[in-house]
Amino acid sequence: MKTGMAAMAWLALSATGAQAAADTAQKPCLTPVEAQALIIALMPPAVRAVGGACNSALPSVAYLRTNADRLGQRYTAPAIAAKPAAASALGKISGTGDKITPDTFDTFANMLVGELVTKGIKPDVCAKVDRVAALLDPLPPANLAGFVAAILEFTSEDSKRGPDLNICKA
């Protein structure tokens, strides 16, 4: 699953989860609600990063080239609302507890997510990412984040298929 908005969140959460696994013997788990808040909060910087990474690989009429800014702005208000829960979730999986504040979270999201996302997005997959982004655009941000969180939950048990992120069992 290296396409679309799901890929953006997947890559960011994979790296965060891998760091948490390296830092602790027993990985803490995120509830589906915590995972969803983290995904929503990561959406604006992830959309900007993918749009930038694919800009030169896509034709001028491509969906991401014409809509990435609008998508980033559309996800901004839900991301701001989710930021306290996302900061808490990030603190939980990184082992730093309540030391991660919404401002610290912004630093992570804006600097690190862009780098993590663009490492996984190569020019040859940009057309696929563009197509999936267009298909997912009509979903409200909460539904998209819930969808990605569900995929992460379903795949978190299989380290070959999913990110190194532990989603709590219901």
Side-chain angles (χ1 to χ4, degrees):
M1 169 183 282
K2 296 229 184 227
T3 57
M5 306 297 181
M8 294 179 239
W10 185 289
L11 291 167
L13 291 173
S14 293
T16 304
Q19 180 62 42
D23 292 344
T24 62
Q26 170 108 11
K27 293 185 299 181
C29 65
L30 291 182
T31 67
V33 171
E34 290 170 326
Q36 186 171 337
L38 189 55
I39 292 163
I40 287 175
L42 294 174
M43 282 182 180
V47 168
R48 286 190 299 271
V50 170
C54 288
N55 195 43
S56 64
L58 294 170
S60 62
V61 295
Y63 181 82
L64 280 173
R65 288 200 56 190
T66 58
N67 289 285
D69 289 339
R70 179 189 57 77
L71 282 174
Q73 290 173 1
R74 185 173 133 214
Y75 296 140
T76 298
I80 290 169
K83 202 182 310 178
S88 176
L90 181 59
K92 186 176 182 180
I93 62 174
S94 69
T96 60
D98 62 0
K99 293 180 183 174
I100 295 184
T101 66
D103 291 334
T104 306
F105 182 86
D106 280 342
T107 300
F108 164 79
N110 292 322
M111 293 173 52
L112 189 56
V113 169
E115 182 180 333
L116 293 172
V117 169
T118 55
K119 280 183 181 180
I121 304 293
K122 304 296 183 222
D124 62 327
V125 299
C126 286
K128 293 175 187 174
V129 171
D130 186 66
R131 186 178 79 228
V132 171
L135 291 169
L136 295 176
D137 180 359
L139 287 176
N143 291 72
L144 178 57
F147 174 72
V148 173
I151 290 172
L152 291 172
E153 181 179 357
F154 299 152
T155 60
S156 67
E157 295 175 6
D158 184 351
S159 62
K160 293 178 184 174
R161 288 185 9 202
D164 191 11
L165 182 71
N166 192 14
I167 306 291
C168 305
K169 300 200 182 346

